[in-house]
Amino acid sequence: FWFKGYEDKPTHSFLYTPLVDKFRKPPLFVRAHSGPTAFFDGSYNAEVQYWTSKGFFVAEVNYGGSSGFGRAYRERLNYKWGIVDSYDCKALVLELLKLDLVDSEKVVIFGNSAGGLTALNCLLFGSIFTAAICKYPVIDLKDMHYNTHRFEKDYLNSLVGDYAKKYDSYISRSPINRMNKLKKPILLFHGKKDLVISYKQTLKIQEILNRNNKHSETIFFEHEGHGFKNSETKEIVMQKSQQFLKNALNI
């Protein structure tokens, strides 16, 4: 599904319609991919299928900057990570609302790793999204600049800019610096063996999230890293997510 994204440029997404009619109008789950220059390829995803089987509408956004659509498309995110990605996610929601396909009061954004930064910034700027669910999210670009793994050492130079020259951008686009403004329900998962994004980043905001919204929750797993592997962990994530959505969306 193509829609007008940042600067009215054609932007791609995959839409998965509900497999059952459980709601008068289905809640919308928007998925922001990690990377952040990766992409959704439409391949089978068990979580997507789970939610559509429960009557939810799911959208995967290949926001500007995603790979697989040519160089110009990929370079839309240069120096604008935290801006273009969040804008495109919101633009897709507005388009689906315009088409009267989903419930405007039940719009949730999902994001893992880099997608977590996109998701939380969507909640911070604008009122479209009702809640967010994130796994091991990027919340502090300053910390990422200093502590990211060697393979992505200079990644942020193209995504945000030179750290010394663009310091203000690193601060303003980091959700950790605006957590007091986030009053909407948020569910976060993080593994304590994560070597890419330390769980201590999520730990820093745990108290603020819990204080700001009674439905917010942070859950840590002792033996998981960056990307959950254990089947029991995945089962807990789905169970916790379902309970969270039941409360946050009143369904």
Side-chain angles (χ1 to χ4, degrees):
F1 179 80
W2 289 85
F3 63 98
K4 288 184 178 182
Y6 189 76
E7 295 182 338
D8 285 338
K9 294 177 180 177
T11 306
H12 180 265
S13 67
F14 286 107
L15 303 184
Y16 302 87
T17 56
L19 297 176
V20 294
D21 293 325
K22 187 176 179 180
F23 305 97
R24 183 183 64 82
K25 206 179 276 188
L28 171 62
F29 292 173
V30 175
R31 301 183 72 223
H33 62 70
S34 57
T37 55
F39 62 98
F40 289 116
D41 62 4
S43 59
Y44 176 80
N45 183 284
E47 288 190 17
V48 170
Q49 296 305 311
Y50 177 84
W51 294 120
T52 56
S53 73
K54 298 295 183 182
F56 299 97
F57 194 115
V58 181
E60 295 180 327
V61 188
N62 280 318
Y63 51 77
S66 302
S67 299
F69 301 92
R71 182 172 180 174
Y73 195 103
R74 160 59 194 87
E75 290 181 346
R76 291 185 198 177
L77 202 63
N78 286 2
Y79 311 115
K80 294 180 180 178
W81 183 29
I83 298 174
V84 172
D85 46 320
S86 297
Y87 183 99
D88 286 351
C89 288
K90 290 183 278 190
L92 174 61
V93 175
L94 291 175
E95 187 65 25
L96 296 177
L97 291 175
K98 190 187 302 182
L99 295 171
D100 200 30
L101 294 175
V102 296
D103 189 336
S104 63
E105 296 183 358
K106 295 178 172 62
V107 182
V108 182
I109 186 160
F110 289 66
N112 304 341
S113 190
L117 181 132
T118 301
L120 294 175
N121 277 335
C122 278
L123 242 62
L124 276 164
F125 303 102
S127 58
I128 296 173
F129 291 94
T130 313
I133 298 178
C134 303
K135 300 173 190 171
Y136 33 88
V138 172
I139 60 173
D140 189 346
L141 293 174
K142 178 180 177 180
D143 180 81
M144 189 177 181
H145 167 75
Y146 283 112
N147 299 313
T148 192
H149 53 99
R150 188 178 63 178
F151 181 68
E152 295 185 346
K153 178 66 177 174
D154 298 316
Y155 201 17
L156 294 180
N157 288 350
S158 63
L159 293 172
V160 184
D162 177 85
Y163 183 73
K165 295 178 180 178
K166 296 290 185 179
Y167 178 79
D168 289 347
S169 294
Y170 279 77
I171 300 303
S172 64
R173 298 184 206 173
S174 297
I176 195 170
N177 298 316
R178 299 173 183 268
M179 278 299 157
N180 282 321
K181 296 182 178 181
L182 275 174
K183 306 296 183 181
K184 294 182 178 181
I186 298 170
L187 176 61
L188 300 183
F189 300 98
H190 214 134
K192 289 191 174 181
K193 290 190 174 181
D194 193 332
L195 300 179
V196 180
I197 303 168
S198 173
Y199 79 94
K200 293 180 181 179
Q201 291 298 309
T202 297
L203 194 61
K204 286 180 182 179
I205 63 174
Q206 180 180 24
E207 184 179 339
I208 298 174
L209 294 182
N210 294 345
R211 184 174 66 240
N212 285 358
N213 190 285
K214 65 179 181 180
H215 299 310
S216 291
E217 189 175 1
T218 48
I219 298 169
F220 299 96
F221 298 102
E222 291 290 336
H223 304 294
E224 292 286 1
H226 198 73
F228 300 153
K229 306 298 184 183
N230 192 293
S231 59
E232 292 181 3
T233 299
K234 294 179 181 180
E235 188 174 344
I236 291 171
V237 167
M238 294 307 290
Q239 291 172 346
K240 290 288 187 180
S241 296
Q242 192 161 355
Q243 186 59 47
F244 169 78
L245 291 168
K246 181 180 179 181
N247 296 327
L249 303 183
N250 192 28
I251 55 176

